[in-house]
């Protein structure tokens, strides 16, 4: 019965996918197009008055307000609507917005109405520097100058917005007149097919503990391995095929000991982007999905944060120097769980720490130099029952040092390059693996015209891998020789060229064709060379000002991978590349009440996968057959999302995924061992009264496929599912605003307050359900900032 129902779902999704693909063509959109249409000349609106608002009386601290402005054909603001912000800053910005004046947008010389988003930043009076350079939006179109442009990653700020410092009443000097700023007429921010979450929003999400990377599990298309484990399947791709990046730097592991907080202090993260498939050409060497974090830009004032929780303490501080031309930042976290375990007289030893540091400096008005370093360590050990001595269960460490340079080439254009050194290491009792990495990246972005942006770049990596593992150190004697061969001592080489275009052939249609070429090489015993050519294309069709049709398609490749990523765990080249083809078509709408609505249909095909999860059961993973088994696979489904930003007084979201993930080995085709047909996340947060905010999140998903032993003793699905899973996460915060821009808050948070257990399957002589957990994570913390 289940297979017949899923077959109907498959046919429905396929039919909708074809229909939406056809609808994406300009002809189907019923747009009037001449037989030989000339390319329209678009001129963007430009502000001709300072975009400032008076600092509201009685207000404290910094704030950011985003407004949506409708610019009339004579340049005045016809309508102003709030997009994001808090009182009293929101009212102050709205009351002043009608006085803003613009040079109107033009098409072929004729003035036209245009909707733009404006970001107004309220700050205390600080000296204004002349070292700003212009950013570009995520879609490649020009955006505003900001005082923090000495950030090498500033080009990744939200598009279609402009930022200006608003002076407080204590500053009697007139605000500086803004330079001409190009603002896109279009009204979307994230690249086609991507989902973006800001740090400010994630901080209020129940069950995420303020970590932007942990919040990825709430997004459509993301399926957890088990409750509380922050390793995800994304549109059917296993966790080992999901790449993690921070400012374009590959991060080998995201979370401390798999269950803890992320290895990056949340205060440094500006936003996290999820590319579930068909991602931009600058990303590569992962055949599943990309999770990309972007650090925030340097600020022109002293600022910092600190946290004290029951398991760790963390801090972050940033200070400008040389009149704002430079900025220095440092942050980190340290766990005292080892002390807690010793007080409880436990045989376990658990410790973790992480650090981040960055220095950037504007050496000229167009050149910025920077150094960014970060890393972490996790240690888990116990006492040997026989000898009483401590033994290492797992010890992971990684470090990254990135030296970067960015040169502005004009409005929205730049060239940047960087060199990265990395150290990854994972150790066990008596053995381990180590990876020394040297990498380089370069990127050119050139705005040729208001309708065409060219992007291109290179990246290359050399890895020196050394291993001292033997079969007894991972999984016991049943592992055989597969793991040691896969982790042989060797050198690996990678090199890539990529390019794409962000092109507006018509004002209501944007298309981004691109291509990436990757070379893989290895000197190991299973070494070899491979070349992958990966064309990709994405587009956005604006049917109405509030309605968009979005597509993203592309090929991707990856070397063999482990089922869960870890520092230094890079398998040998045995079996060649994994490959995938990913396609998705979706509709995005700006609904009333500031609700963002999305509906996406997707289908992915996977070739020569190393997916121990999908071809086995959850608790029957590390065997020679499962690790070395190559399989084919596919996934398809529908994603639905309704979202009102959590930063609003009443915010929340509903995220639902209906999907089917299939694997095949030889002639045998079966549901993936970790297929979940339905996944639902829903959350709401409310500002109750005077800094008191409460939130709750519900998580529901169906169980794994039930399996039995087949005639050849391999797990065989029975066509039934294990019982569904449900949990509640809760968060309560009381925030006090102190004098000036200081604040302190008490946060109570609980993931899985229902103490629900996840069900898996264990296959020995027979296959039986097994309870996992419950994984419940409580947190009591004191936070503060300036």
């Amino acid at each position: 019965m289940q297979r017949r129902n899923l077959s109907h779902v498959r046919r429905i999704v396929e039919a909708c996918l074809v229909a939406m693909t056809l609808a994406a063509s300009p002809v189907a959109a019923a747009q009037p197009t001449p037989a030989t249409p000339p390319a329209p000349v678009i001129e963007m609106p430009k502000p001709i008055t300072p975009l400032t608002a008076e600092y509201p009386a009685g207000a404290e601290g910094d704030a950011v307000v985003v407004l949506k402005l409708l610019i009339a054909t004579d340049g005045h603001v016809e309508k102003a609507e709030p997009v994001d912000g808090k009182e009293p800053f929101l009212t102050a910005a709205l009351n002043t917005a009608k006085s803003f004046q613009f040079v109107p947008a033009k098409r072929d010389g004729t003035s036209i109405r245009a909707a733009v988003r404006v970001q107004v930043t309220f700050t205390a009076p600080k000296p204004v520097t002349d070292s700003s350079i212009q950013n570009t939006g995520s879609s490649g179109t020009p955006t505003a100058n900001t005082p923090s442009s000495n950030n090498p990653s500033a080009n990744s700020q939200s598009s279609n917005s402009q930022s200006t410092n608003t002076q407080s009443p204590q500053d009697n000097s007139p605000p500086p007149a803004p330079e001409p700023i190009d603002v896109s007429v279009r009204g979307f921010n994230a690249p086609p097919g991507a989902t973006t979450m800001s740090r400010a929003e994630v901080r209020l999400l129940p069950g995420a503990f303020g970590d932007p990377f942990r919040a990825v599990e709430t997004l459509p298309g993301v399926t957890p391995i088990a409750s509380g484990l922050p390793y995800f399947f994304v549109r059917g791709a296993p966790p080992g095929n999901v790449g993690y990046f921070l400012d374009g730097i590959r991060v080998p592991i995201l979370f401390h000991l798999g269950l803890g907080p992320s290895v990056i202090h949340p205060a440094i993260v500006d936003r996290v982007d999820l590319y579930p498939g068909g991602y931009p050409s600058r990303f590569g060497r992962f055949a599943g999905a990309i999770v990309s974090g972007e650090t925030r830009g340097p600020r022109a004032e002293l600022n910092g944060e600190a946290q004290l929780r029951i398991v760790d303490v963390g801090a972050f501080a940033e200070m400008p120097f040389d009149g704002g031309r430079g900025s220095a930042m440092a942050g980190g976290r340290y766990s005292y769980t080892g002390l807690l375990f010793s007080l409880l007289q436990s045989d376990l030893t658990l410790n973790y720490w992480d650090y981040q540091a960055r220095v950037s400096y504007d050496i000229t008005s167009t050149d910025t130099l920077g150094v960014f370093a970060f890393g972490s360590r996790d240690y888990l050990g116990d006492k040997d029952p026989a000898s009483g001595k401590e033994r290492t269960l797992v010890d992971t460490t990684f470090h990254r040092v990135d030296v970067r340079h960015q040169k502005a080439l004009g409005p929205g254009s730049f060239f940047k390059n960087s060199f990265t050194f990395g150290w990854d290491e994972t150790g066990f009792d008596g053995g381990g693996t180590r990876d020394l990495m040297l990498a380089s990246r370069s990127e050119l972005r050139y705005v040729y015209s208001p309708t065409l942006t060219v992007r291109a770049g290179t990246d290359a990596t050399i890895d020196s891998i050394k291993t001292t593992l033997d079969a007894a150190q991972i999984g016991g004697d049943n592992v055989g020789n597969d793991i040691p061969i896969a982790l042989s001592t060797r050198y690996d080489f990678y090199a890539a060229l990529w390019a794409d275009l962000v092109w507006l052939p018509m004002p209501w249609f944007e298309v981004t064709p691109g291509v990436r070429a990757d070379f893989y090489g290895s000197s190991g015993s299973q070494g070899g060379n491979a070349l992958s050519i990966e064309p990709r294309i994405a587009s956005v069709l604006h049917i109405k000002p509030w309605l968009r049709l979005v597509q993203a398609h592309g090929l991707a490749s990856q070397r063999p991978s482990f089922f869960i990523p870890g520092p230094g765990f890079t398998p040998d080249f045995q079996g060649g590349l994994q490959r995938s083809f990913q396609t998705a078509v979706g509709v995005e709408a700006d609904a009333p009440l500031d609700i963002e609505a999305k509906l996406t249909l997707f289908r992915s095909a996977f070739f020569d996968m190393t997916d121990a999860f999908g071809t086995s059961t959850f608790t029957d993973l590390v065997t020679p057959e499962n690790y070395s088994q190559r399989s084919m696979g596919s996934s398809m489904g529908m994603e639905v999302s309704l979202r009102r930003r959590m930063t609003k007084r009443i915010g929340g979201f509903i995220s639902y995924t209906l999907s089917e993930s299939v694997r095949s080995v030889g002639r045998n085709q079966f549901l993936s061992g970790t297929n979940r047909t339905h996944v639902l996340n829903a959350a709401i947060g409310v500002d109750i009264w005077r800094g008191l905010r409460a939130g709750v999140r519900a998580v529901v998903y169906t169980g794994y496929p039930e399996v039995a032993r087949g005639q050849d003793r391999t797990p065989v699905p029975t066509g039934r599912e294990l019982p569904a899973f449900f949990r509640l996460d809760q968060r309560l915060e009381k925030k006090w605003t102190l004098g000036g821009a200081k604040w302190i808050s008490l946060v109570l948070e609980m993931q899985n307050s229902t103490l629900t257990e996840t069900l898996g399957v264990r296959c020995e002589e027979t296959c039986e359900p097994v309870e996992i957990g419950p994984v419940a994570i409580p947190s009591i913390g004191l936070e503060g900032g300036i």
Side-chain angles (χ1 to χ4, degrees):
M1 178 64 69
Q2 182 195 41
R3 297 296 298 167
R4 289 198 297 270
N5 290 339
L6 287 176
S7 179
H8 290 310
V9 171
R10 180 186 304 170
R11 288 196 292 269
I12 292 172
V13 172
E14 286 177 336
C16 292
L17 188 63
V18 171
M20 294 177 71
T21 303
L22 293 175
S25 67
V27 174
Q31 299 285 352
T33 305
T36 56
V41 178
I42 303 297
E43 298 179 36
M44 307 302 180
K46 301 178 179 64
I48 56 177
T49 59
L51 304 182
T52 60
E54 185 174 334
Y55 195 94
E60 295 179 345
D62 299 344
V64 174
V65 171
V66 180
L67 304 178
K68 181 178 180 180
L69 307 181
L70 181 61
I71 311 301
T73 55
D74 62 356
H76 82 276
V77 176
E78 184 176 314
K79 185 178 180 181
E81 297 179 350
V83 175
D84 200 3
K86 63 181 180 180
E87 296 293 354
F89 303 99
L90 188 58
T91 298
L94 283 170
N95 291 340
T96 310
K98 289 294 185 72
S99 66
F100 296 164
Q101 289 290 325
F102 290 78
V103 175
K106 294 182 180 181
R107 180 188 294 120
D108 293 331
T110 302
S111 297
I112 58 174
R113 299 166 78 213
V116 300
R117 292 193 178 191
V118 174
Q119 177 175 299
V120 181
T121 303
F122 292 85
T123 62
K126 293 293 176 182
V128 179
T129 67
D130 296 326
S131 58
S132 298
I133 60 174
Q134 193 163 14
N135 296 332
T136 58
S138 55
S139 62
T141 56
T143 59
N145 286 355
T146 67
S148 60
S149 58
N150 56 347
N151 172 26
S153 65
N155 57 35
S156 301
Q157 301 297 319
S158 298
S159 66
N160 312 323
S161 64
Q162 59 190 45
S163 179
T164 177
N165 282 343
T166 299
Q167 306 298 314
S168 70
Q170 289 81 4
D171 184 8
N172 296 322
S173 61
E179 299 178 3
I181 300 171
D182 288 341
V183 181
S184 173
V185 177
R186 292 161 296 132
F188 59 93
N189 295 324
T195 302
T196 296
M197 298 190 73
S198 68
R199 191 260 167 154
E201 186 174 11
V202 169
R203 185 184 176 276
L204 305 177
L205 178 64
F209 305 105
D211 281 334
F213 287 105
R214 184 177 281 274
V216 169
E217 69 172 337
T218 68
L219 300 179
V222 179
T223 304
I225 294 176
S227 172
L229 292 177
Y231 295 100
F232 321 114
F233 282 79
V234 181
R235 291 184 179 173
N241 290 21
V242 179
Y244 302 112
F245 293 85
L246 182 66
D247 280 359
I249 306 166
R250 182 177 59 83
V251 182
I253 189 171
L254 268 186
F255 303 97
H256 287 294
L257 293 166
L259 289 171
S262 68
V263 298
I264 307 298
H265 194 286
I268 195 176
V269 180
D270 178 64
R271 74 175 199 274
V272 171
D273 302 323
L274 171 67
Y275 299 91
Y279 35 82
S281 298
R282 68 178 180 274
F283 293 112
R285 303 190 191 117
F286 286 93
I290 297 293
V291 177
S292 175
E294 296 291 339
T295 60
R296 66 178 220 182
R299 296 184 180 177
E301 69 279 343
L302 176 67
N303 64 96
E305 291 186 20
Q307 302 87 25
L308 176 64
R309 303 190 296 187
I310 58 176
V311 295
D312 60 21
V313 60
F316 166 87
E318 182 182 24
M319 180 179 67
F321 61 89
D322 194 12
R325 293 183 64 182
S327 171
M329 176 274 292
R333 240 182 318 221
Y334 181 79
S335 168
Y336 36 80
T337 48
L339 174 62
L340 295 177
F341 280 134
S342 64
L343 293 176
L344 296 173
Q345 296 183 343
S346 171
D347 290 339
L348 286 176
T349 301
L350 186 154
N351 290 299
Y352 62 81
W353 49 257
D354 61 63
Y355 69 91
Q356 304 84 39
R358 184 182 66 194
V359 177
S360 61
Y361 188 77
D362 290 342
I363 55 177
T364 71
S365 60
T366 60
D367 290 89
T368 301
L369 285 177
V371 179
F372 180 31
F374 60 97
S376 79
R377 190 205 178 196
D378 300 277
Y379 176 83
L380 178 64
D382 70 351
K383 289 184 179 179
D384 190 320
S387 64
K389 296 181 179 179
E390 184 170 308
R391 59 184 178 184
T392 300
L393 298 179
V394 63
D395 186 356
T396 65
T397 306
F398 83 86
H399 304 279
R400 294 289 186 272
V401 179
D402 188 69
V403 182
R404 51 183 68 173
H405 167 253
Q406 176 169 313
K407 183 175 184 62
L409 302 177
S413 301
F414 65 84
F415 174 77
K416 62 181 180 180
N417 62 299
S418 63
F419 294 91
T420 306
F421 170 78
W423 175 297
D424 298 350
E425 188 169 12
T426 296
F428 303 93
D429 197 26
T433 180
R434 185 218 64 199
D435 180 357
L436 297 181
M437 180 192 76
L438 183 63
S440 68
R441 304 185 314 279
S442 65
E443 180 180 352
L444 171 68
R445 182 173 301 188
Y446 179 67
V447 179
Y448 180 78
S449 72
T451 61
L452 180 64
T453 297
V454 181
R455 304 183 298 197
T458 66
D459 68 76
T461 303
I462 300 176
D463 287 293
S464 173
I465 299 172
K466 182 178 181 180
T467 182
T468 57
L469 289 172
D470 60 43
Q473 284 154 356
I474 301 181
D477 295 334
N478 65 320
V479 175
N481 292 321
D482 283 1
I483 296 280
I485 292 176
L487 293 176
S488 61
T489 299
R490 66 190 191 274
Y491 290 94
D492 289 340
F493 313 92
Y494 310 93
L497 296 171
W498 63 269
D500 61 21
L501 304 174
V502 181
W503 181 38
L504 282 80
M506 290 153 281
W508 37 265
F509 182 61
E510 178 189 90
V511 61
T512 307
V515 65
R516 181 183 178 93
D518 268 294
F519 171 79
Y520 299 80
S522 179
S523 67
S525 59
Q526 304 292 328
N529 301 326
L531 179 65
S532 179
I533 307 295
E534 303 164 4
R536 300 169 187 173
I537 189 168
S539 67
V540 179
L541 177 65
H542 292 260
I543 303 172
K544 296 287 185 180
W546 52 270
L547 183 64
R548 301 169 293 279
L549 191 60
V550 179
Q551 295 190 75
H553 317 278
L555 298 177
S557 65
Q558 180 180 355
R559 63 177 306 130
S561 58
F562 280 104
F563 39 85
I564 289 181
F569 268 74
T570 306
D572 210 331
F573 210 67
Q574 182 179 5
L577 295 178
Q578 305 177 78
R579 300 180 186 270
S580 67
F581 172 68
Q582 302 161 313
T583 182
V585 180
V587 177
E588 299 178 354
D590 301 324
L593 302 178
D594 296 324
I595 294 175
E596 302 171 5
K598 293 184 180 181
L599 170 65
T600 304
L601 304 178
F602 70 87
R603 181 153 194 171
S604 302
F606 306 104
F607 309 94
D608 292 326
M609 301 179 70
T610 52
D611 179 18
F613 279 122
T615 57
S616 63
T617 63
F618 178 75
T619 57
D620 187 22
L621 295 176
V622 186
T623 68
E625 295 82 6
N626 290 343
Y627 173 76
S628 60
Q629 180 70 68
R630 290 298 184 111
S631 64
M632 309 291 280
S634 66
S635 67
M636 63 183 307
M638 176 179 68
E639 303 164 357
V640 181
S641 173
L642 297 173
R643 176 182 171 192
R644 192 172 194 263
R645 296 190 180 276
M646 296 292 292
T647 50
K648 295 184 177 295
R649 192 179 71 83
I650 300 178
F653 64 85
I654 298 175
S655 171
Y656 170 70
T657 302
L658 168 68
S659 64
E660 179 191 48
S661 185
V662 175
R663 298 291 182 265
S664 61
V665 179
R667 296 183 178 181
N668 297 322
Q669 186 177 41
F670 47 89
L671 281 176
S672 168
T674 51
N675 179 75
R676 297 193 190 275
T677 306
H678 306 277
V679 178
L680 174 68
N681 277 269
I684 186 171
V686 181
D687 283 335
I688 300 175
W689 180 72
R690 292 189 177 182
L692 181 64
R693 184 178 180 90
V696 62
R697 174 162 64 116
V699 181
V700 182
Y701 48 75
T702 51
Y704 289 133
E706 186 180 79
V707 298
R709 283 292 190 191
Q711 293 181 353
D712 57 355
R713 297 184 54 77
T714 59
V716 177
T718 65
R720 298 184 297 271
E721 292 179 342
L722 296 175
F725 173 85
F726 169 79
R727 85 164 195 246
L728 284 178
D729 303 336
Q730 296 166 318
R731 184 181 188 274
L732 183 65
E733 177 184 13
K734 179 63 175 81
K735 187 173 185 178
W736 294 270
T737 300
L738 309 178
K742 306 178 184 67
W743 59 271
I744 190 172
S745 66
L746 176 65
V747 181
L748 309 178
E749 196 161 2
M750 178 73 174
Q751 185 184 92
N752 194 11
S753 60
T754 50
L755 302 180
T756 311
E757 297 174 328
T758 299
L759 285 179
V761 177
R762 183 182 300 280
C763 287
E764 294 177 353
E765 293 302 319
T766 61
C767 293
E768 301 292 341
V770 59
E771 294 179 346
I772 304 169
V775 178
I777 307 175
S779 177
I780 302 175
L782 190 65
E783 302 179 2
I786 181 173

